[in-house]
Amino acid sequence: VIQAYKQGLSPAVGYELNPWLLCLSNYRAWKAGYHGKVSFLKKDLWKVNLSDCYNVIVFLAPSVKPPLAAKLLAELPDEARVVAGRFPFPSWTPTSTLGQGLEQVWAYDMKEVRQAAQSSAGGSLV
């Protein structure tokens, strides 16, 4: 979230249910001088409406990616970009990638994800 803010993305908001990770995130933001500029909220990602989000960054286990893909496809606008760290979305083709190994990230433009899924014969959006 801090890096997103440093790159000019605002508002920069993180969602976390684990109270320890939430506290750690807020502490790190404060220590880095970004208190009040970034937000970490105790909310369930599955219950948050993402329809007004244009930049989504996720660091989640591979098992979570298929249901998350369905949520993102249902809620994000075509202009949105999704960046996945550590693990890619298994059925999406990335627009770009950066890094390698544990430091690799995959970027997906939602319009391209939707177009690719629709153009493939019987392609699944998830």
Side-chain angles (χ1 to χ4, degrees):
V1 174
I2 293 171
Q3 289 302 320
Y5 180 81
K6 286 180 180 180
Q7 296 299 315
L9 300 178
S10 182
V13 179
Y15 300 112
E16 179 59 61
L17 282 177
N18 181 317
W20 296 105
L21 293 177
L22 186 65
C23 187
L24 179 62
S25 297
N26 280 309
Y27 170 74
R28 287 183 175 168
W30 171 80
K31 187 170 177 153
Y34 291 96
H35 177 73
K37 297 175 183 170
V38 300
S39 301
F40 296 95
L41 306 175
K42 186 177 182 181
K43 291 195 176 187
D44 186 340
L45 178 63
W46 301 107
K47 295 178 181 176
V48 173
N49 183 339
L50 301 173
S51 62
D52 63 347
C53 295
Y54 289 88
N55 296 284
V56 176
I57 303 166
V58 296
F59 290 89
L60 297 168
S63 62
V64 179
K65 294 294 174 79
L68 180 59
K71 177 178 176 57
L72 297 176
L73 281 164
E75 295 181 12
L76 292 179
D78 276 348
E79 301 80 20
R81 173 168 268 200
V82 176
V83 176
R86 299 263 169 113
F87 305 105
F89 283 88
S91 62
W92 291 3
T93 301
T95 306
S96 61
T97 63
L98 180 65
Q100 59 186 356
L102 294 178
E103 300 300 320
Q104 188 168 3
V105 296
W106 295 261
Y108 306 90
D109 291 332
M110 291 309 295
K111 186 173 185 175
E112 290 182 28
V113 169
R114 287 187 178 105
Q115 287 174 344
Q118 290 171 351
S119 66
S120 66
S124 170
L125 292 177
V126 201

